[in-house]
Amino acid sequence: MRSDEAYQRLINSGIRPSLQRLEIMRYLMAHKTHPTVDDVYTGLCNKIPTLSKTTVYNTLRMFYDNGAAQMITIDEHRVCYDGDLHPHVHFFCNKCGKVYDLMDEQAPKQYRGDINGFLVEDSQLYYRGICPDCRAKMLKTETKTAGIQQVATKH
């Protein structure tokens, strides 16, 4: 990532760049893991000793409010952020808790505005289920368990 991409994104979104805002945006753009506030804080606290979780929370919220980042609300306890602004679908694994990008899926239009008198302030869509890695582990466990049961019934 070029160092000016984060700066340009902030400027284009109407956000005044500061050291902390730039580092948080750089982190978000570099880490495709859909980090939470805690993830971003943990990733930057050694680099910026004066950084607080409150600053990270407020900054990420500002990024979302100004269209500089996506916010994915998994539930009332987990909110993730995505620095990739290209339209794409997200998938949340119920087993491992990771959020994945499904870039080949056609994403619904992200919309904020008026629809027949309704003021839409946020629109989110993501799929929930079991990711391929967790699914493979489940199948392996099921196969192993079935093999043990077959051996037990033969004796």
Side-chain angles (χ1 to χ4, degrees):
M1 174 182 61
R2 292 185 355 238
S3 63
D4 64 347
E5 284 183 73
Y7 179 86
Q8 202 56 52
R9 168 118 21 124
L10 294 180
I11 294 296
N12 291 345
S13 300
I15 299 170
R16 185 181 56 80
S18 67
L19 172 67
Q20 292 180 338
R21 290 174 183 168
L22 278 168
E23 288 303 323
I24 292 169
M25 180 54 74
R26 286 180 182 133
Y27 185 92
L28 199 57
M29 293 173 79
H31 293 83
K32 308 294 185 188
T33 56
H34 307 90
T36 63
V37 169
D38 287 337
D39 296 333
V40 175
Y41 174 76
T42 302
L44 292 175
C45 66
N46 289 333
K47 187 174 187 175
I48 309 171
T50 59
L51 189 65
S52 70
K53 279 189 186 181
T54 301
T55 298
V56 173
Y57 172 83
N58 291 335
T59 301
L60 289 171
R61 186 62 196 219
M62 177 196 324
F63 289 174
Y64 168 72
D65 288 342
N66 287 279
Q70 291 189 55
M71 181 172 69
I72 308 152
T73 306
I74 302 301
D75 59 34
E76 64 274 5
H77 302 289
R78 181 162 180 193
V79 176
C80 303
Y81 293 87
D82 192 349
D84 187 343
L85 297 178
H86 297 95
H88 62 283
V89 174
H90 292 103
F91 180 93
F92 175 75
C93 179
N94 291 323
K95 284 281 188 196
C96 65
K98 292 181 184 173
V99 178
Y100 296 88
D101 290 326
L102 301 179
M103 299 307 260
D104 294 334
E105 287 293 310
Q106 184 172 354
K109 181 181 174 187
Q110 291 290 316
Y111 184 80
R112 291 184 191 183
D114 188 280
I115 298 178
N116 299 326
F118 294 92
L119 178 61
V120 178
E121 295 177 334
D122 184 31
S123 60
Q124 295 188 21
L125 170 72
Y126 66 92
Y127 299 117
R128 291 180 82 108
I130 309 298
C131 73
D133 289 342
C134 289
R135 194 170 177 193
K137 289 175 190 171
M138 288 170 55
L139 289 173
K140 188 175 181 180
T141 301
E142 288 172 9
T143 303
K144 193 179 206 181
T145 303
I148 291 170
Q149 288 175 347
Q150 285 180 346
V151 170
T153 57
K154 287 183 181 181
H155 293 287

